[in-house]
């Protein structure tokens, strides 16, 4: 539904609503996020120095010196992989590739905190732009006020707020992964023709090179592109599909070569050699990195557990829906028959990405809320946007305020707990 088709009463705004609607503007929302994230980061530690675990800085430095093992490191080696006397990262390398120009210009001690904050602010602007484009395409039907509230909710009421200000390899990887997926969905929805296939494939390939399982989030964009272009002649559609698949296949081959060069096998990413925390070692030796054994714990800490009042287990996670209740709108989106099959495919995409997360050893600790759920937040936001289109604005605003209060308190907890 185009914005021009909304009734005049809905488009008329008072000054408080106009103020809220600034959050719907991609540039203004990104700038607001940049300021807030920077202030939080400065409250924790110097924003001009690298974080506690700037591993992608170290890998960027290694790549600039023509090698895949670390040349320099300091402080800690937690979660690094030690193989034949050399240190490696088991995470895919794309975030380090993005850091290459900064490390080349300013050295290995460049602030990964500022790097992560900048990308996180761009994420907020991309969400605002994605909601605008999705509205123009008729994928969702939200007026500017509801879109603004959804952007503010994402920026300050989800785990994105608790990951953006702190840098460190674990959080930076997720922020970069979200950026790549937001670009994937924006390319699929906002572009058309063969260009849409090519850009979507490139962005999804970058997501794969950041967090491997993010390739599963390509289910909905692939369906959307095929549905929109199904009227094409079969040879044309086949060529376009190959154009979209080519970057993903190239990324898979690049990862295989990267693993082979480091560990002698295209399927070995170094996870078996990583210096895990002692609390995980016994389970890892018995069950491996992925197992049904971890499912009950992950379900509990990601969808059921409420971390208040604060207790020792509070940094193990928290319920996605209780801490960020605007996401209850996604359940309404699934029930909207007018949105089928797109809504169900968005839900299936979220579930597909969640499967390896639910089977993974460890909940993402130390964290506030279920930080791994950021990996499927792009399709979840679109599904939520479908579900809240008939909700009164005051209800969305109230749930957004509750979400922001939870996330803001979580930030104070992390400032105290994170080194």
């Amino acid at each position: 539904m185009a914005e021009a088709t909304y009734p005049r009463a809905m488009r008329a705004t008072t000054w408080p609503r106009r103020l809220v609607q600034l959050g719907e503007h991609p540039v203004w929302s990104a700038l607001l996020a940049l300021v807030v994230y920077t202030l939080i980061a400065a409250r924790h530690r110097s924003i001009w120095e690298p974080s506690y675990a700037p591993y992608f800085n170290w890998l960027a430095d290694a790549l600039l010196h023509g090698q895949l093992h670390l040349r320099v490191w300091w402080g800690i080696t937690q979660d690094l992989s030690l193989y034949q006397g050399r240190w490696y990262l088991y995470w895919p390398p794309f975030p380090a590739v993005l850091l290459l120009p900064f490390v080349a210009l300013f050295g290995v001690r460049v602030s990964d905190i500022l790097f992560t904050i900048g990308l996180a602010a761009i994420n907020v602007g991309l969400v605002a732009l994605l909601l605008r484009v999705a509205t123009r395409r008729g994928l969702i039907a939200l007026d500017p006020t509801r879109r603004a509230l959804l952007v503010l909710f994402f920026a300050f009421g989800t785990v994105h707020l608790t990951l953006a200000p702190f840098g460190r390899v674990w959080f930076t990887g997720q922020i970069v992964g979200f950026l790549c997926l937001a670009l994937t969905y924006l390319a699929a929805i906002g572009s058309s023709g063969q260009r849409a296939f090519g850009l979507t494939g490139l962005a999804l390939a970058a997501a794969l090179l950041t967090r491997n399982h993010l390739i599963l989030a390509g289910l909905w964009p692939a369906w959307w592109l095929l549905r929109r272009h199904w009227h094409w002649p079969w040879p044309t559609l086949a060529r376009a599909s190959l154009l979209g698949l080519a970057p993903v296949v190239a990324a898979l081959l690049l990862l295989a070569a990267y693993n082979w060069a480091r560990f002698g096998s295209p399927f070995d990413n170094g996870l078996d050699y990583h210096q895990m925390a002692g609390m995980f070692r016994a389970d890892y030796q018995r069950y491996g990195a992925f197992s049904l054994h971890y499912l009950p714990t992950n379900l509990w800490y990601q969808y059921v557990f409420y971390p208040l009042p604060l207790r020792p287990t509070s940094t193990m996670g928290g319920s996605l829906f209780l801490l960020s209740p605007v996401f209850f709108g996604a359940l309404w989106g699934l029930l909207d028959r007018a949105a089928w099959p797109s809504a169900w495919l968005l839900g299936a995409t979220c579930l597909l990405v969640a499967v390896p997360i639910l089977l993974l050893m460890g909940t993402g600790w130390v964290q506030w809320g279920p930080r791994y759920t950021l990996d499927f937040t792009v399709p979840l936001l679109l599904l939520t946007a479908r579900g809240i289109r008939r909700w009164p604005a005051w209800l969305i605003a109230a749930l957004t305020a509750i979400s922001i209060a939870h996330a803001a308190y979580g930030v104070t907890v992390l400032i105290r707990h994170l080194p």
Side-chain angles (χ1 to χ4, degrees), residues 201-202 205-206 208-209 215 242-258:
L202 281 172
L208 168 66
L209 290 170
I215 190 175
L242 289 174
L243 183 64
L245 283 173
V248 177
V249 173
L252 287 170
L253 294 174
L254 183 62
L255 275 178
Y258 182 59

Side-chain angles (χ1 to χ4, degrees), residues 166-407:
F166 300 110
R168 63 190 50 218
V169 64
W170 307 280
F171 295 0
T172 299
Q174 286 201 256
I175 294 297
V176 174
F178 184 95
L179 173 75
C180 296
L181 276 191
L183 290 172
T184 300
Y185 280 66
L186 191 57
I189 297 170
S191 301
S192 58
Q194 295 200 15
R195 182 186 179 197
F197 285 84
L199 291 176
T200 302
L202 281 172
L204 188 60
L208 168 66
L209 290 170
T210 302
R211 292 172 66 77
N212 294 159
H213 64 282
L214 293 185
I215 190 175
L216 302 174
L219 172 65
W220 186 88
W223 169 83
W224 176 260
L225 287 173
L226 291 173
R227 173 183 175 273
R228 284 181 58 201
H229 299 90
W230 199 251
H231 60 282
W232 283 1
W234 279 104
T236 305
L237 185 60
R239 283 195 299 271
S241 299
L242 289 174
L243 183 64
L245 283 173
V248 177
V249 173
L252 287 170
L253 294 174
L254 183 62
L255 275 178
Y258 182 59
N259 291 337
W260 186 288
R262 296 182 302 161
F263 306 119
S265 169
F267 307 108
D268 188 350
N269 64 0
L271 192 62
D272 286 342
Y273 321 117
H274 86 287
Q275 308 299 295
M276 69 188 73
M279 62 184 294
F280 300 123
R281 191 165 292 116
D283 276 351
Y284 183 78
Q285 291 173 351
R286 183 173 180 181
Y287 301 105
F290 295 91
S291 171
L292 286 171
H293 171 76
Y294 308 122
L295 181 60
T297 299
N298 285 324
L299 282 173
W300 170 257
Y301 281 112
Q302 292 177 23
Y303 297 101
V304 180
F305 175 66
Y306 187 68
L308 295 173
L310 197 64
R311 48 198 183 276
T313 56
S314 291
T315 55
M316 294 288 286
S319 168
L320 173 68
F321 296 103
L322 295 181
L323 290 179
S324 300
V326 177
F327 280 139
F328 278 115
L331 305 180
W332 267 252
L334 288 173
L335 297 174
D336 185 359
R337 289 183 176 273
W340 294 357
S342 178
W344 278 94
L345 281 165
L346 284 170
T349 302
C350 294
L351 182 61
L352 200 58
V353 178
V355 168
I357 294 171
L358 290 171
L359 300 179
L360 178 65
M361 173 189 68
T363 64
W365 178 85
V366 174
Q367 63 185 345
W368 180 265
R371 71 174 176 92
Y372 288 146
T373 61
L374 187 69
D375 292 346
F376 57 81
T377 291
V378 175
L380 186 63
L381 281 170
L382 289 175
L383 190 56
T384 301
R386 283 190 176 277
I388 65 173
R389 65 191 180 94
R390 291 197 177 103
W391 286 14
W394 66 263
L395 176 59
I396 302 170
L399 294 178
T400 297
I402 293 170
S403 303
I404 292 174
H406 279 141

Side-chain angles (χ1 to χ4, degrees), residues 92-110:
F94 186 66
V97 173
L98 292 181
L99 270 163
L100 283 175
F102 301 101
V103 174
L105 287 172
F106 304 109
V108 71
R109 296 194 67 90
V110 68

